Amino acid sequence: MEKIIVRRLKWFIKYNNFLNTNQSGFGERRRVTDHILRLHDAVQKSLANKHHLLAIFIDLEKAYYMVNQNVLLSKLLNLSITGNMFQFIRSFLTNRTFQVRIGPCLSLIRRPENGTPQDSVLSPILFTIMVNGLLDLISSPSALYADGFCLWESGSNIKQLEHLCQKSLSKVNRWCNQSGFKISTSTTAAVLFTIKRKLEPIQLVFESTTVTLRKEYKYLEVIFQSNGLYHSHIQHVFDKCQKRLNVLRLLRGTSWGAAKSPLLTIYRDLIRSVIEYGMEAYYFFFSRLSLTPLFRVQSNALRLCTRAMTSTPITVFVCNTLATRCPFILNTGCSVSDIKSTCSLSVITLVSL
């Protein structure tokens, strides 16, 4: 029943164009990297014009647990969601009970005052409706994915950027107080993207709390640096994939172990997916030398999957891997011989695989 309500609710919202275009969470034909590319493009254009970009990354504390049910129901009514659908959603949210079991013992029955039910297919779309009004209040460029919110201003005058961001931050704080949310003081921070070294102090305040100014910030699992580069993110991906290589080493064994096909499947799920995430923003922005850690991780992973010796040239087991399964190459109509003769090693290992 919940899936039927979700399909009808999504169609109704899309048909009436209720959602803000700067929100890409839990929507069709929208993905998390959309906002990564938007922020990347704004930062690079600002630095190319020798301007500054001041971004505030706002994190809502326990966002899903802090959803005010009465405010959410009023928002549904404002969207003209009435009748049986509204009655079902109201019954879905209210009069719920829960207990905690520890061994054979059960706690007292409690009723949740706020929040949406966890592990329900209906909760994400309801949360999207709840936070949609946040984007309509501010005029600054912004990006919202689930509870990850970011706003920014760019220009040549840093004090003017500080004033505009402070104005938007005050509106966000006011909206949070009205909707029952709370801005996290520990994870909310600001980053000034600039090429200048000596800068004037920036002070952004909400509810007598000063926003921390950082040199880098992880937004949507991509680390943005104040100089517009991604060296910290590449090192983070390298360290993360190095730990996951141990899974391949364990399953590969020495005199026994999994075959090449399941090892490649694990490689694509655990390592390749991490390398490719957010690559649209920085892959063509960096030189081959800067991407050396990623090449090293991928070559080591493929060497483990194919059981190639250390002295085996990279092109040998890479082409062997491409011949077994490479949807990108097969869809383009290229053969392995064409790849060997026309493509560089970087394109083979990081784009084509």
Side-chain angles (χ1 to χ4, degrees), residues 1 5 8 81-91:
M1 186 62 182
I5 296 297
R8 293 183 179 182
I81 300 176
T82 58
N84 294 332
M85 180 177 292
F86 177 80
Q87 297 297 333
F88 177 85
I89 295 176
R90 184 172 63 178
S91 176

Side-chain angles (χ1 to χ4, degrees), residues 151-163:
L151 62 92
W152 63 86
E153 290 285 352
S154 62
S156 57
N157 191 330
I158 297 180
K159 286 300 180 182
Q160 181 67 17
L161 301 182
E162 180 183 356
H163 172 72

